[in-house]
Structure formats: C-alpha cells, structure tokens
Amino acid sequence: MSRDRTVNVLTVMLVVLLASGPFLPRWAMFLSTVSLCYGTVVLGMMLLMRTGLVSFGHGLYYCLGAYAAGTLQPFFGITEMSIMIGAAVAVTGAVSALLALLLRKYRDIFFAMLSLAFSMILYGLLVKTSALGSTDGFNVTAETLFGVRIAGTAYERYLIFAVTAFLAWICAMGMLRYLGSHRGRLAEAVRDNELRVEYMGASVANTIHVNYVVSAMLAGLGGSLMAISVGHIDPEMAYWTTSGEFVFITILAGTGNVLAPFLGAAIFETIRSFAYEYSPNTWQMALGITMLLVIMFLPGGLWSLFARTRKAG
Amino acid sequence: MRPLRALSRFTALALATVALAVPAAPALAQDSIRIGLVTFLSGPAAGPFGVPARLAAEAIVESLNAGKAPSPYNAKGFGGSPIELVVIDEAGGATKQVAEFRNLISRQNVDFVVGYISSGDCLAIAPVAEELKRLTVLFDCGTPRVFEEASYKYVFRTRAHATMDAVAGARYLLEQRPDLGAYAGINQNYAWGHDSWADWTAVMSVLKPEAKVTTSQMPKFGAGQYGAEISALMQSGPEVIHSSLWGGDLEAFMLQATPRGLFKRSGLVLVAGEPNLHRLVGNVPDGTIVGARGPHGVFAPKSTLNDWLRQIYQAKAGYAPNYPAYSVAQAFLGLKAAYEKARLEKVQKAIPMGANRNVKEEMEKAYGRPTTEEVIAAFEGLTFDGPSGKVMMKLGKGHQAVQGTAYGMTRTVGGEVRLENIKYYPVEQVQPPEGVNSLDWIKGGLKPGKW
C-alpha cells in the first residue's frame, strides 16, 4: 500500500473509531481499546523486526510503563492521565536508552535472550515487592484528564478509548514518517547487510540504538494505556509469556505496513476472546492453530494478504 | 503457486471472519437466570482448585434446577427460575480476565457472576463489577485486601479470607506443642506465599514471642525441584515447618522431602494442604497439621446439606469434594438465599391489604424478578446455611463472609489419609472484627471482636 494511501486509511480509521465508539457495545469498545494498546506495543516490535532483531523481553517496557503510570498514585498522589502516560514514556525512554548501550552489541538469539533476561529481572523485583502487592498487583485509576474529572462518569470508557485511539494514530503516523525517512530506511539495510551499511558511512549501532529506544517507548505507552483501561496491573506484564504474546502478534500481523500491528492485535484479541467463550477448555489451541496456519500459508503475516491483492490488482 | 496462494488467502480470511462473525449473543431461554462461572480450567491451579469448583458448580446447578436440594434450598433454581451456567477459564492473568468479565456481562448478558480463585484476579475484577453494576460473588480467593482496601456495593465474597489460616494454624500448633522453640517456613515466591508467611510470623510473634525463626525458604512458583530448600531446612533444624505450598508444588516437595527424612526431625503445618491430601498417601507423615480455610472438605460437620453436597459431587466427580467445592457451594447457596429473600420481601411489601387499584399490575411486578439492587439489599449482612455450617456476611459492610475454621492432624490408615484430633475455632478467635485491618489486628494481639 502506498504511503499516501496508508495515511488516508489511518485517518479514516481514526475517524470511524471515534465516531462509532459511542454506538459500539461495551465489550466491543473495550476489545478495541485493548487491541489498540497491543497494537501500539507491536508497532515498536515491528520496527525492531525490520531492523532484524526479535526482542523476547518487550514485556520489560510494557510493564515498566504500566508501573510508572500506576505508582504515581500511591507514591505521589497523581491520578492525571496525561501525566501518567507522560511518565511511562519518559521512564521507558530513559531505561531503554541505557540498556540499548549493551543490547545493541548483540544479534539474533543472543539479543532475544538478553532482552528476555532483563524483563525477568524486573519481574523478579516486582514479585519481591510486597508493598506493590507482589504478584497480586494493585488497582490503577486515572481520575482526571487534563484536570477534568472522568473517573466514574458515563463517558469514562469512551474517553479512555478515544485517547488510546488518538495516541495510537499519532504513533502510527509518526512511525510511517520515520520508516520513510533516511534513518528509518536504514533499518532494513541493517537487517540485510550490516557491513555494507557501515561502508556507506552510516552507524549500525546508532540505528539499532534509536530503533530500540523508540520501540521501548511505544511499549511503555501501550503498557500505561493498558493499565488505565484495565484498571489493574501486576508483574505478569513483565513475564516472558507476555513478551512472547507480542512476538506472536508481530509474526501473525507481518511487518509490511504500520497498519499491520493494529490489524494483527485486533484479530488476535477477537479470536482469543471468542475462543474463551466457545471453547473454555481449549482456547489456547485455537490460538495455536491460527499461528500454525499463518506460518504455513502466510509466512509474511496477515498483511501479505493485502500486499498481494494490491500487486495482483 | 497460484492455487496455493488463493487457498492461503481464503484460509486466513475465513479464520478471521469466523472469529468475527460468530453470533454474539446465543439464544437464551427467557426465564432462566444466567450465571457466569469463572474458574481455572487450565494451568497449575486447575487440578486442585479450578476443576473441583467447576464440577461442584455443575452438580449443584443440576440439583437446584431439579429441585432436589434439601431445605431451605428446595425451590427450583433460583426462586423457581432455572439456572444456566456460562463457564469461562480463569487462566491468562488479570488483564485478560477483566476483558472476559466485560464480555460475560455485555456480550453474554449474565445476571450474576460467580468466580475467581486467584487473589490478583479478584482485586482486578472488583472495581469493574462496580463500574458495570453487576452482582459478582468472589468464591475462593483469599486476600483480605479486597474489602480492607476498598468497599464495594456489587461485590460479595462468600468465603472467609485468608487471615484465619495463620491464626487458627498457630493456635492449633501451640496447643499441640506448647513449648515450641524454633520454626521455619517454605512458601512460594509470590503474593500468597509472602502473605501467608507474613501472617504466620506475625501471629507467632504474638502468641509465642520466644520462638525463633530458623530459616525462611521462598522457592519460585512452580519450581518442581526443592533439593536446596530441603537441605537448608534440614540444616537449620526447626521443630516445625510452616508451608503454604499447594497443588503440584506441594506434591513435588513432599515426594522429595519425605525420603530425605526431613519430617523425621521436624513437624509440618500445611495451611492449604487439604485439596491435595488424597493424593499424598504414603508421602505425608502422620501428625501433619492441615487446614482448609474454614470447616470445609473433611472438616465439614455432618448435616443434611453436607451429605447432599458430598453425594452429588461424588456422583459427578468420582471422589469426595475438597474445599474449593465447598466454597463454590457457599457462593451458589448464598446467592440463592439472597435472591429468594429479595423475592419474598418484594412480594410481602408489594400488595398493601385492601388495595383495589392496579392489583393486576402490582401483582405482576411483585412476582417478577427482584432487581440486582434488591438482591444486594437482601445479601448484605445475610446469614445463611452452607454445607460446612453457618456463613455470616459480616465484614466489608456486609459483603465479606466470616466463618469459624478447623484444623486437624493427618494419620494414614489403610491407604487413606484421615484427619484426627480435629479442633474447631469460632469466628472471634480467627477473624478480625469489622474495620480492623488483618495485619493490624494480629499485631495488636488478636483481641476477639464482638460478633
């Protein structure tokens, strides 16, 4: 899909989401909110994957973002949504900028394992922190949005949904711009041939560093939005299975377009949710079969369906 | 290549559409009451807790719908309306559970939700139930935080919270070993393990301040291997070991510790050992102190309700019910009692004697279903009979149940683990009174409240 067309589709989708929100059934609105949160995280994973790196530890930033937003209330008494989200992005940005110094030296399985190790360290620390409820976690509420009280109002859910959709739109637009920029295009070059990139005069280390920090901040943003919409956070968010879920959605969606992560997340959440309902004993199998089918028939992810249609037409 | 592409495209699209297009609301009988049941069907908690709870719930609903339960629960279903169960897996963590809870209510349109074994899930669900204004009965989770950190209108918990485990366990232990000098602990490194050990050490420091802690082992959840922990416990030589292990972890620990002779030197207290007891034949030393957070399972005193539950559960599962079966029974019977009380009160209040206007409409309204608010009003502070005795909704402004509890000692007789020397503890000895935080109550000297 061409860039201009993606911009149009993104904007149309935002408008459709915002306009249809009040008419959606409550479960569908929540499912969309959760999908948008996941989609934001996976958008960052997509960028990393385009750089040739698979992180099995993005739960670290997802969880860190959620805790950065959630602990503002017990520690500082802050329940303003914009500050919670800002804090999440700032904290994950700072931590990832530091960790990237080490991680950018590794590739492939070593990168995956090292990032997994860092996320499990955070998990271990949080489990030992009884003050934050250990594995039980604690509840999070965003009481106000730009100073206006939203908690407990009739439009609380819609506002959270709208904020999430709007931020996801900004992220997707930003990512689209970034992917088209000089540095953004370097990502795939790094994946294909690092040596050649260095000979061209570009820095592989810098590219990976920047892309890693961007993807971490997106994960932190997704985590804080998830914390606000779900209303509860626990260390499970940093556990390796959560990171694995992000990899799952990234592979399911494909890395062809900035729309893919949101499509993948929406399909993943929908299948999971209906599988819970219709086969409570075998819902995991439904997800596994979907994954198998996608890997066997659509190695480029669900997005390749659209890419191919375009070529054929 | 071309047919394969077409096929692949078709498959993926079909999958997506099937998922999206499945009819959202299944056809439902107009007069049945839909209850969402959320319990572990997969993962480590499914075997000892989740599946027994599900089997018990299904057996109870069948029996209630047939009107075969003993008095006062002999009306069919809930006040004559049959019950329909919608079962959901609790696995997947709090985020997914919040999503599924919303689905249960706005997609499945259930009237009530009964569920949640994990304390983390209970904490996450309670505010959502409040937001969606749907009566939710937490049936098994233990953390006192649910009603001590917040108060809810739409959330009830029909079993007592976990504080009684440590309080009654320590009282029982000290009755058996009044001159206890040293104890140790082995608990999993997660919220329940931490809380259980924190409660236990707090109670011991009140009831037996001179007893020393030799070691506290915190293996990770699902560790499976306990070689190092067993060595540490053996070296430290405690007289008694406290443990909140459960499920597969408990079984693995017992299988590894018994042959090494750990229990030849040290006694053992298993605060959550009851659900696994029947699987530990040959691997649990005689004299192990076991509790069930309430007089459930083998501790349940004989009564017609208890006989009823044991009989229908045995018929369904093929073995005797353990404590999760009793807690789910308490949830359904409590809800039924509240529902029928609300219905009765509605009928009694509705038709003033001598009224001659709108009699038909008034009658229809009175005999209609009670609203959620009316059921809540009837539920608050309710006292009802469960299979293990009286249950009083007396904490958390009438939303949290209290009950006495029991502890006993194991003795293996002819390939069966039995509990002997069972001692019952009344509510005031094991539960904090209203408005007092559990840990504060323990540290403040366990002063019995007024009930």
Side-chain angles (χ1 to χ4, degrees), chain A residues 135 273 276-278 283 305, chain B residues 9 23 89 91 103 107-108 191:
Chain A
T135 45
S273 157
Y276 252 95
E277 194 172 307
Y278 290 97
W283 61 272
L305 279 177
Chain B
R9 218 172 283 170
D89 189 359
N103 289 344
R107 195 158 78 201
Q108 290 276 351

Side-chain angles (χ1 to χ4, degrees), chain B residues 8 52 159 350 402 440 445:
Chain B
S8 62
R159 80 169 304 188
V402 291
D440 294 342

Side-chain angles (χ1 to χ4, degrees), chain B residues 293-359:
Chain B
R293 195 176 304 161
H296 307 310
V298 279
F299 297 103
K302 196 171 165 50
S303 69
T304 39
L305 269 175
N306 188 21
D307 292 344
W308 164 73
L309 180 67
R310 296 191 87 80
Q311 188 257 318
I312 59 171
Y313 186 87
Q314 184 87 37
K316 185 115 195 151
Y319 49 89
N322 59 6
Y323 86 63
Y326 278 76
S327 31
V328 89
Q330 254 168 234
F332 276 92
L333 295 183
L335 191 54
K336 181 177 162 76
Y339 186 93
E340 287 171 1
K341 184 181 162 207
R343 202 160 177 271
L344 189 68
E345 278 172 2
K346 199 173 168 171
V347 173
Q348 282 170 345
K349 262 188 268 170
I351 315 158
M353 289 298 273
N356 53 9
R357 278 197 306 164
N358 299 334
V359 172

Side-chain angles (χ1 to χ4, degrees), chain B residues 168-327:
Chain B
R171 287 188 196 278
Y172 188 88
L173 173 66
L174 292 172
E175 281 158 25
Q176 307 299 320
R177 299 179 185 239
D179 47 356
L180 183 82
Y183 62 94
I186 176 163
N187 297 283
Q188 290 138 308
N189 184 14
Y190 83 114
W192 157 238
H194 297 217
D195 292 349
S196 183
W197 178 243
D199 281 358
W200 180 262
T201 47
V203 176
M204 289 301 278
S205 67
V206 169
L207 296 181
K208 192 77 183 169
E210 62 275 22
K212 284 192 180 56
V213 178
T214 63
T215 179
S216 162
Q217 295 296 315
M218 291 256 169
K220 78 175 172 56
F221 181 83
Q225 291 292 331
Y226 299 95
E229 286 83 4
I230 293 167
S231 299
L233 287 170
M234 290 183 82
Q235 262 172 17
S236 76
E239 288 163 49
V240 164
I241 298 164
H242 162 271
S243 180
S244 61
L245 292 180
W246 54 268
D249 286 13
L250 173 62
E251 287 180 35
F253 171 70
M254 298 304 284
L255 282 169
Q256 291 161 36
T258 309
R260 288 185 63 182
L262 177 60
F263 306 125
K264 290 206 178 84
R265 304 185 200 176
S266 311
L268 181 64
V269 180
L270 296 175
V271 294
E274 192 268 342
N276 281 72
L277 218 48
H278 64 284
R279 294 172 55 99
L280 288 172
V281 180
N283 286 302
V284 59
D286 286 351
T288 299
I289 295 171
V290 175
R293 195 176 304 161
H296 307 310
V298 279
F299 297 103
K302 196 171 165 50
S303 69
T304 39
L305 269 175
N306 188 21
D307 292 344
W308 164 73
L309 180 67
R310 296 191 87 80
Q311 188 257 318
I312 59 171
Y313 186 87
Q314 184 87 37
K316 185 115 195 151
Y319 49 89
N322 59 6
Y323 86 63
Y326 278 76
S327 31

